[in-house]
Amino acid sequence: MTIQIVDWVQTGAMIGGGLSVGLAAIGAALGEGYTAGKASATLSYRPELAADVMKTMLIGQAVAETAGIFGLVVSLLILFSPTSGATMLTGWAYLAAGLSMGLSAIGCGVGSGFPSANACEGIGRQPAISGQLTTLMLIGSGVAQSTAIYGFLIALLLVYKSFPDTATVSAICSLLAAGIAMGLGGIGPGLGEGYAAGKAIGAAARNPETLGVMTRTMLVGQAVSESTGIYSLVVALLLVLRV
Amino acid sequence: MDATGGEFAKGMAMLGAGIAMGLGAIGPGIGEGFAAGKACEAVGRRPEEAGLLTRTMLVGQAVSESTGIYSLVVALLLIFVV
């Protein structure tokens, strides 16, 4: 049995494509399910707010779904890229792209679920400021998505970069390490920022006059929480660009 | 694909850098987010203490950040020195 380079590339593409969409689906589905659960619990004691809560729930779920959609896009890109002219390293790059996108999307999907769920609960408490709560939710979950966007960026870089013909052990390991660094590094900030946004929305719904100071505190806290995600992005870029 | 000793060690150092930074970023990310969330909750209860609470949150997060910076330093050492 002889294994051609094309077979290596296709194998990498199949595993990478599966990892990308499979792992990303975990986070997005958990976040959306948590949102739907809180929305149902809110409606059980405030059924008259069905329209507002449903609207916020759907917007929040759409944001949480973005991480899953990134995973799907990367998966399709990997699976349908041409194998002509590909080198052995391309197959490993596809595998690393799947890890980078899939793992980072887990944290961001779950993280975006916290603000959406607490926004639904908050509207049940303070229906008068449902617009402001939805805005705060969009800001908070948008920031929580940022590491999924870094993961998407690294995945695109890995898919479209051209590689040398000779595959050395250190080049293969560098590509895999870039995927692992960005993928795992995206989980923590995504979860942490989402938790912060969720608590901020819950607190703003209890005490609506603190909405302004709450937005500021939330953004400062999220910015610090983001730093390790940026370190991961830097390390991943260094690892990809040295090949 | 040739795997001489030095080349193999270089490859493992790169893999180590990726694992160090990837796993090292999980803890600070979650911990700092938790600190930020609880600070927001506290600001909601006592809005007049927002300045003090933000300061305390930032000091706590800075300490929590240290392991993330250690991971970054180790990852950079593994990439550039080994």
Side-chain angles (χ1 to χ4, degrees), chain A residues 114-125:
Chain A
F114 293 133
S116 346
N118 284 346
C120 293
E121 208 176 39
I123 289 173
R125 210 182 284 272

Side-chain angles (χ1 to χ4, degrees), chain A residues 38-40 42-43 46 49-58 119-121 123-124:
Chain A
K38 283 278 189 184
S40 308
T42 306
L43 288 183
R46 300 293 296 267
L49 295 175
D52 262 357
V53 171
M54 280 287 274
K55 189 184 75 194
T56 306
M57 180 191 85
L58 286 176
C120 293
E121 208 176 39
I123 289 173

Side-chain angles (χ1 to χ4, degrees), chain A residues 164-242:
Chain A
D165 286 333
T166 50
T168 58
V169 178
S170 76
I172 293 173
C173 288
S174 293
L175 294 178
L176 279 181
I180 293 172
M182 190 61 247
L184 288 176
I187 296 180
L191 278 175
E193 287 166 23
Y195 182 83
K199 284 288 176 191
I201 293 163
R206 283 209 179 76
N207 208 347
E209 67 271 23
T210 61
L211 208 66
V213 68
M214 199 61 74
T215 312
R216 208 165 60 229
T217 314
M218 178 190 85
L219 282 177
V220 172
Q222 284 184 321
V224 179
S225 185
E226 181 71 24
S227 54
T228 48
I230 295 174
Y231 301 161
S232 300
L233 176 67
V234 170
V235 168
L237 282 177
L238 284 175
L239 285 166
V240 177
L241 297 180
R242 73 177 286 284

Side-chain angles (χ1 to χ4, degrees), chain A residues 80-187:
Chain A
F80 293 108
S81 16
T83 48
S84 61
T87 67
M88 175 108 112
L89 281 176
T90 314
W92 290 98
Y94 288 163
L95 182 57
L99 281 175
S100 164
M101 186 64 247
L103 287 172
S104 64
I106 294 181
C108 296
V110 177
S112 293
F114 293 133
S116 346
N118 284 346
C120 293
E121 208 176 39
I123 289 173
R125 210 182 284 272
Q126 300 274 359
I129 56 161
S130 77
Q132 281 106 309
L133 286 178
T134 307
T135 313
L136 189 59
M137 174 196 84
L138 280 176
I139 298 173
S141 44
V143 176
Q145 286 290 335
S146 55
T147 45
I149 297 173
Y150 300 161
F152 189 51
L153 189 83
I154 293 290
L156 288 186
L157 188 63
L158 283 164
V159 171
Y160 287 115
K161 194 175 183 305
S162 57
F163 295 106
D165 286 333
T166 50
T168 58
V169 178
S170 76
I172 293 173
C173 288
S174 293
L175 294 178
L176 279 181
I180 293 172
M182 190 61 247
L184 288 176
I187 296 180

Side-chain angles (χ1 to χ4, degrees), chain A residues 192 195-196 221, chain B residues 30-41 56-57 60-61 64:
Chain A
Y195 182 83
Chain B
I30 298 180
E32 287 165 23
F34 191 81
K38 287 288 174 190
C40 287
E41 216 172 40
T56 312
M57 176 190 83
Q61 285 183 322
S64 181

